[in-house]
Amino acid sequence: MSFLERMSVAVIPVIVIERAQDAVPLARALAAGGLTTLEVTMRTPAALAAIGLIAEQVPQVQVGAGTVLSPDDARAARQAGARFAFAPGFAPDTVLAARDCGLEFIPGVMTPSEITAALALGCRLLKFFPAGAAGGPAMLKAFASPFGAVRFCPTGGIGAAQLPEYLALPNVFAVGGSWMIPAALLQAQDWPGIESRARDAVRLAGTAPSDTLDSPVLPGKPTPGLRL
């Protein structure tokens, strides 16, 4: 089953976790609110342990890694239990390392040249980052015609107010953000508060992704079923 087939809602919480012991209750709170595809960014020493704990103890979610910057990052994320990974940029060696270790990988892009390079390696799902600073929905609309075979997950500078506009775009398969996990609530271990914000995000999203792809982010694989 592919990354998109495992998604239930087109919203991906982007998690920066400082304490590994918060990982399981946080994942359970998000899942209880309806968000079951989680990205744990590899920005802190606790990230890999958090991924492992969620993978082992919260089977109702699919956990992935974010901020994957190198082949070593990709291999470490996979070994920890990540089922997918996002990168903020496009690095061919990291794409290939993810393929080699069986990690579904969504590299980041911001320009037409980067999209073209990603397509050359067979990537059809891409992270658009930093979405807010890089042109937002208007830029994604401009990408739709020349890059009809690509779908994007915009991330960066997106809050609840912008979510519906992004999800209305046919070339957006999901939106990533951290607005449902404010640092103050995470620090206070306010799991009911985070669950409530997750429920709000699900209500805003409205529906799950409507299309799936076969092996969408493993370079060199065919990608049937993409709605153009």
Side-chain angles (χ1 to χ4, degrees), residues 154-172:
T155 306
I158 300 174
Q162 295 79 42
L163 179 63
E165 184 178 8
Y166 279 101
L167 288 181
L169 300 175
N171 61 343
V172 168

Side-chain angles (χ1 to χ4, degrees), residues 182-209:
L185 293 189
L186 183 56
Q187 180 66 27
Q189 299 179 321
D190 184 353
W191 312 129
I194 290 172
E195 177 183 341
S196 176
R197 293 176 72 92
R199 290 186 188 279
D200 290 341
V202 171
R203 280 193 290 269
L204 277 173
T207 60

Side-chain angles (χ1 to χ4, degrees), residues 140-158:
L140 288 167
K141 290 176 184 177
F143 287 156
S145 181
F147 300 112
V150 176
R151 295 175 74 196
F152 297 92
C153 178
T155 306
I158 300 174

Side-chain angles (χ1 to χ4, degrees), residues 71-98:
D72 286 344
D73 284 349
R75 288 186 284 265
R78 185 72 179 102
Q79 186 172 7
R83 302 181 72 173
F84 64 91
F86 282 94
F90 175 73
D93 59 344
T94 306
V95 173
L96 296 175

